[in-house]
Amino acid sequence: MKGKALQREIKSALADPQLQAALGKFCRTFPDARARVYEGRDFPALREEIAAIKRRAAQDLEQLVEDFVRCVTARGARVFRAATAEDARAYILNLARARGIRTIVKAKSMATEEIYLNAYLAAHGLDVVETDLGERILQLSGANPSHMVMPAIHLTKERVAEIFSRETGEQVPAEIPVLVKVARRLLREKFLAAGMGISGANIAVAATGTIVIVSNEGNVRLTTTLPPIHVVVVGLEKLVPRLEDVAPILEALPRSATAQPITSYVTMITGPTPAIDAQGRESLKELHIVLLDNGRTALRNDPLFREAWQCIRCASCLNVCPVFEKVGGHVFGHVYTGGIGLVLTAFLHGLANAEGIEGLCIGCGRCREFCPAGIDIPHLVLELRRRLVEERGLPWLEKILFERVMLNRSLFHTLIRAAAVAQRPYRGRDGLIRHLPLWFAGLTEGRALPAITDVPLRRRPGREGRPPGLHTRVALFAGCLVDFVYPEMGEAARKVLNALGVEVVFPLGQTCCGYPLRFAGAAGTAALMARQNVAVLEATDAAYVLTLCPTCAVALKHEYPALLAGDPAFAARARALAARVVDFSSFVLAYWTDSLTSTGGVAVTFHDSCHLRRSLGVYKEPRALLARAGYTVKEMATPDRCCGFGGNYAIKFPAISRSLLEDKIADVAGTGAAMVVADCPGCLLQLRSGLAGQNLRMAAKHTAELLAEGLSS
């Protein structure tokens, strides 16, 4: 899904009160519930243990498959290795036909969703019945899962009651115990009539041939025991070497998926189990295991994406994703949903099916923080975008902007100055833009935007300063927003640094950090821009390169060494530059003197920008600075929740950005603080625009501005 169709789906999801209520309630309560269930456990150690198990499994895959097949067949089961989705579907259909089966019951399985098994079998005349409550609800409504663990999470109980009422022909009340009872009654006869039960598996143990299934409903055990034939469809990535490897995964899976210490049922099946036929004769059930590849080997063999093999399908990345909370999996996904779903889609269903929806990831990094397998999902999404751009190219407007304008520093800055002139008719007396014409109108809906400054920081004498009693020297990397929109932030930083005995120099050759290009997938062009900045910044004799923007810091510190790693002329230079990069608050805290103490501090609340907290690991430092400067910090309910800016994300998906901003402004206002502070000019642009758009008389300032004000008092 892409283009106008995707924008329509986004608007529809945001306007759906049931969807917003269902997802909002779950996603906002999940982090606290998850934190409680992990209390007393070493989550980082558990995460590394799981990652190590899965890495070892990926490395030894062929040996694990061989061991698993040997163990399973020795016990009388049959294993079919399906290279493609069609191979898996055909095997199951042929088996059903050979046994004269007409009715099949299914337990929840994303692998069977992946291969579109239900539709395929139904098209060949078989009655396939989902027995998981959520999956059954979706089957009756003709919808697909929106979540990998909780497929019907997007539906309210009132909507489920409507579906069941239509199915039964009677009025079913919207009461969960009643709904469960109705589902049980409807499914019971299907279990008894079925000739085949199909399930997935959460883990497959190579050393013993054991299949492990976790669930919260008894339908799985009925599906795997009542019918005379049990078919397991399991992806190759579910293989682990030993039975001992099951324990850490079982410890993390329910905690990360549903914030439970353990699921209601853990079923382990090792070979065919005894069964009694209609005549009372005892025999062994037929057990068929379909080992599904369908692109998994390609994923495992890819040196950059192999990390995704570690996924245990807990979907915690969805549970904490701000974009998923807003639009759900039917918009943010294909079959597999959310950030990890984008990666799986690219390999299991083809890169084309990830195009468009890959742009929905805002890159906040929250999924990486919560992932129990340690997968850097945002990094993989960036690589996915890079490959899409490499294969299909950039949209023409982005291509011109990135390759012809932004790479030409002189032209880029000239056009910014021209834009400053062009915006004047739309600029209010307060310096904000509340209305824009034509296709730009959506950018100012519900918010006000800052105007480009008439005099950028690079042309102001206040950008540099050499104090008496010099301790050290820093080169200020301003970034686009501080240079051309908020030069007063740069001047404030210079003032604070000079008060600490730090000289500030401003290399005029600096240009955009290039992160917007990297975010859009234009890694090659971003690398060219990285070379420009590396050359300019290394030419200074400053001990540090200081930035007021954490996104710029991430670009200089993390992205440049990665982008230029294969360049013999720049690789070492990029690493050397990265070692000198520091954010404003960390630097000032290290050089703190009581000269920065304010006597008139007020209550403020601090917003953690995504890159500052999650990519740089900086969140204590700005709070410590504010406290030392005499300010009282009143925390928001979720200070690290994304504000929705995301650079060009706010331009590409203004409706999502605006909705995230509304939540953030409500959180800010709820603290009762007099001011919101952030260390990111992009976040401050977003926060100021939201506060002004809602006519809230509350200031939003950079930490540097507050500290500079303290010097003036």
Side-chain angles (χ1 to χ4, degrees), residues 42 277 308 553 561 568 612 617:
D42 188 342
D277 63 19
L612 186 69

Side-chain angles (χ1 to χ4, degrees), residues 145-217:
S146 67
H147 189 282
M148 288 187 283
V149 174
M150 295 165 282
I153 189 175
H154 59 289
L155 297 177
T156 61
K157 64 181 185 296
E158 287 76 19
R159 176 61 183 139
V160 175
E162 292 173 11
I163 295 168
F164 279 5
S165 295
R166 185 176 65 245
E167 175 68 13
T168 61
E170 58 189 57
Q171 189 62 38
V172 178
E175 300 171 11
I176 292 177
V178 176
L179 295 173
V180 172
K181 187 175 181 179
V182 170
R184 184 183 295 119
R185 173 167 55 85
L186 295 175
L187 288 171
R188 188 68 62 182
E189 62 185 46
K190 297 294 185 181
F191 281 120
L192 296 173
M196 177 186 291
I198 300 176
S199 75
N202 297 94
I203 310 169
V205 183
T208 60
T210 302
I211 289 292
V212 183
I213 308 172
V214 299
S215 66
N216 279 319
E217 301 173 23

Side-chain angles (χ1 to χ4, degrees), residues 19 48 71 116 156 209-210 231 265 279 309 332 342 381 404 429 447 459 530 558 570 617 623 651 654:
L19 179 71
E48 179 50 41
C71 289
Y116 308 110
T156 61
T210 302
V231 176
Y265 301 92
Q279 286 73 42
W309 193 270
F332 192 13
L342 296 173
V381 173
R404 297 189 181 181
R429 292 181 179 178
R447 57 186 173 186
R459 293 169 58 191
H558 299 319
F570 272 90
R623 289 171 168 82
I651 298 173

Side-chain angles (χ1 to χ4, degrees), residues 344-641:
L344 297 175
T345 295
F347 282 88
L348 308 184
H349 291 109
L351 194 60
N353 286 305
E355 187 177 7
I357 56 174
E358 42 72 33
L360 286 172
C361 173
I362 199 169
C364 71
R366 207 175 186 207
C367 53
R368 177 178 58 223
E369 180 182 342
F370 280 78
C371 177
I375 305 171
D376 190 349
I377 297 172
H379 176 74
L380 297 183
V381 173
L382 286 181
E383 175 60 18
L384 191 62
R385 288 179 187 151
R386 187 197 68 78
R387 294 189 185 187
L388 278 165
V389 168
E390 185 178 64
E391 181 177 298
R392 298 160 191 263
L394 285 165
W396 69 270
L397 187 58
E398 287 186 4
K399 185 176 179 65
I400 292 173
L401 177 63
F402 293 164
E403 297 179 2
R404 297 189 181 181
V405 175
M406 295 184 72
L407 276 180
N408 186 327
R409 181 176 59 81
S410 178
L411 175 60
F412 179 39
H413 295 171
T414 298
L415 289 178
I416 290 177
R417 290 195 296 272
V421 175
Q423 72 184 356
R424 287 174 184 168
Y426 307 102
R427 189 165 58 189
R429 292 181 179 178
D430 57 1
L432 297 175
I433 299 172
R434 287 180 167 79
H435 303 285
L436 286 172
L438 303 174
W439 51 85
F440 297 110
L443 297 177
T444 51
E445 185 178 339
R447 57 186 173 186
L449 299 178
I452 298 171
T453 185
D454 291 327
V455 183
L457 181 62
R458 64 181 50 244
R459 293 169 58 191
R460 297 189 179 198
R463 71 181 183 271
E464 294 186 321
R466 181 182 177 89
L470 179 66
H471 295 308
T472 190
R473 174 183 292 177
V474 302
L476 178 62
F477 187 84
C480 299
L481 282 176
V482 172
D483 200 351
F484 297 104
V485 179
Y486 299 127
E488 65 275 9
M489 292 181 187
E491 292 176 317
R494 190 272 309 161
K495 186 176 181 181
V496 170
L497 293 168
N498 283 176
L500 295 174
V502 177
E503 181 183 2
V504 179
V505 296
F506 187 101
L508 289 174
Q510 65 180 277
T511 188
C512 174
C513 70
Y515 196 87
L517 286 72
R518 180 74 177 99
F519 189 79
T525 312
L528 293 174
M529 192 164 283
R531 292 184 182 93
Q532 292 181 17
N533 282 321
V534 168
V536 168
L537 294 171
E538 71 179 0
T540 70
D541 59 353
Y544 300 95
V545 174
L546 185 142
T547 176
L548 303 177
C549 174
T551 300
C552 292
V554 169
L556 298 172
K557 202 170 186 67
H558 299 319
E559 293 297 331
Y560 283 13
L563 287 168
L564 303 178
D567 185 339
F570 272 90
R573 295 162 68 183
R575 291 194 300 271
L577 172 64
R580 296 162 57 203
V581 174
V582 63
D583 67 280
F584 175 81
S585 284
S586 296
F587 182 86
V588 172
L589 189 62
Y591 280 79
W592 173 268
T593 69
D594 288 339
S595 64
L596 299 179
T597 302
S598 169
T599 56
V602 297
V604 302
T605 188
F606 189 82
H607 163 68
D608 294 293
S609 81
C610 299
H611 275 141
L612 186 69
R613 179 156 188 157
R614 297 200 178 90
S615 298
L616 299 177
V618 174
Y619 58 96
K620 295 178 181 178
E621 292 83 349
R623 289 171 168 82
L625 277 181
L626 293 171
R628 287 189 180 185
Y631 294 94
T632 301
V633 180
K634 302 181 72 173
E635 294 289 358
M636 293 176 234
T638 50
D640 61 342
R641 183 178 174 84

